[in-house]
Amino acid sequence: EDKVVQSPLSLVVHEGDTVTLNCSYEVTNFRSLLWYKQEKKAPTFLFMLTSSGIEKKSGRLSSILDKKELFSILNITATQTGDSAIYLCAVLNGGGSNYKLTFGKGTLLTVNP
Amino acid sequence: SAVISQKPSRDICQRGTSLTIQCQVDSQVTMMFWYRQQPGQSLTLIATANQGSEATYESGFVIDKFPISRPNLTFSTLTVSNMSPEDSSIYLCSVEDIWDGYTFGSGTRLTVV
């Protein structure tokens, strides 16, 4: 069975702190790993990672994938209250036209002023 | 990236009734995906909908409970049938986006009373 495990499940920090969110996976036919931010209902896309060791960066957020150790991290520097959300990790796996996203349970990040 | 209009945004329904959720995409897409997010849980794939063929359901989900229509390449509906309180969830549609991984609709928050 495909598994995606995120840690920690929840995290409370103060504005300005740096956080690291973790995602490990065990899936067959890995294709890519995606990070999403979920504030209300709809997840919004952050990153898609396909290759090991190549950091993707967007402002204060960055992410990297390790396909040998089967994990990814999402870093947020200089956190702001607007970063408070659930961060979801998902793995796209499968072959041919038969592929799907498997999601982790998410990390609930709370940034206090 | 693709824009998905999902309706209704929320609804409160009586047990035993059915609710149909619609997703309209602003571009043609081959596959549309339907997810459920139960309270405090992550996203679980219900089914994949291809235009012109029957939807493919994941383990634990059946067509009689969650019938799906996909009449063309920009539209799909998911019906939640014979609802019970356990069906109270957020329902999300999604499409593959070449630039942004997978894009999600705005979500439908369903409460069954």
Side-chain angles (χ1 to χ4, degrees), chain A residues 41-62:
Chain A
K41 291 181 292 185
T44 53
F45 174 79
L46 295 175
F47 298 111
M48 183 164 67
L49 303 156
T50 306
S51 302
S52 266
I54 299 175
E55 185 184 53
K56 291 218 173 177
K57 198 169 169 63
S58 176
R60 296 176 295 103
L61 278 67
S62 64

Side-chain angles (χ1 to χ4, degrees), chain B residues 7-51:
Chain B
K7 296 190 290 189
S9 175
R10 60 176 60 226
D11 208 340
I12 301 173
C13 301
Q14 296 290 324
R15 67 179 69 199
T17 62
S18 298
L19 175 72
T20 296
I21 301 166
Q22 301 179 3
C23 277
Q24 177 76 51
V25 191
D26 68 346
S27 57
Q28 292 185 338
V29 293
T30 304
M31 291 196 283
M32 292 181 72
F33 306 89
W34 287 96
Y35 290 86
R36 178 176 75 181
Q37 187 176 31
Q38 294 177 300
Q41 301 297 313
S42 193
L43 280 72
T44 301
L45 181 64
I46 298 171
T48 302
N50 289 324
Q51 191 264 335

Side-chain angles (χ1 to χ4, degrees), chain A residues 6-73:
Chain A
Q6 292 186 246
S7 65
L9 290 181
S10 66
L11 189 57
V12 180
V13 301
H14 288 104
E15 267 192 318
D17 288 350
T18 293
V19 299
T20 298
L21 310 182
N22 303 293
C23 177
S24 63
Y25 60 91
E26 287 181 38
V27 303
T28 55
N29 297 320
F30 173 90
R31 293 172 68 139
S32 57
L33 185 145
L34 295 88
W35 284 96
Y36 287 89
K37 178 182 182 182
Q38 186 179 31
E39 294 177 88
K40 292 183 179 176
K41 291 181 292 185
T44 53
F45 174 79
L46 295 175
F47 298 111
M48 183 164 67
L49 303 156
T50 306
S51 302
S52 266
I54 299 175
E55 185 184 53
K56 291 218 173 177
K57 198 169 169 63
S58 176
R60 296 176 295 103
L61 278 67
S62 64
S63 183
I64 197 161
L65 173 67
D66 186 328
K67 289 169 70 174
K68 182 180 176 187
E69 300 298 330
L70 308 183
F71 80 91
S72 174
I73 60 172

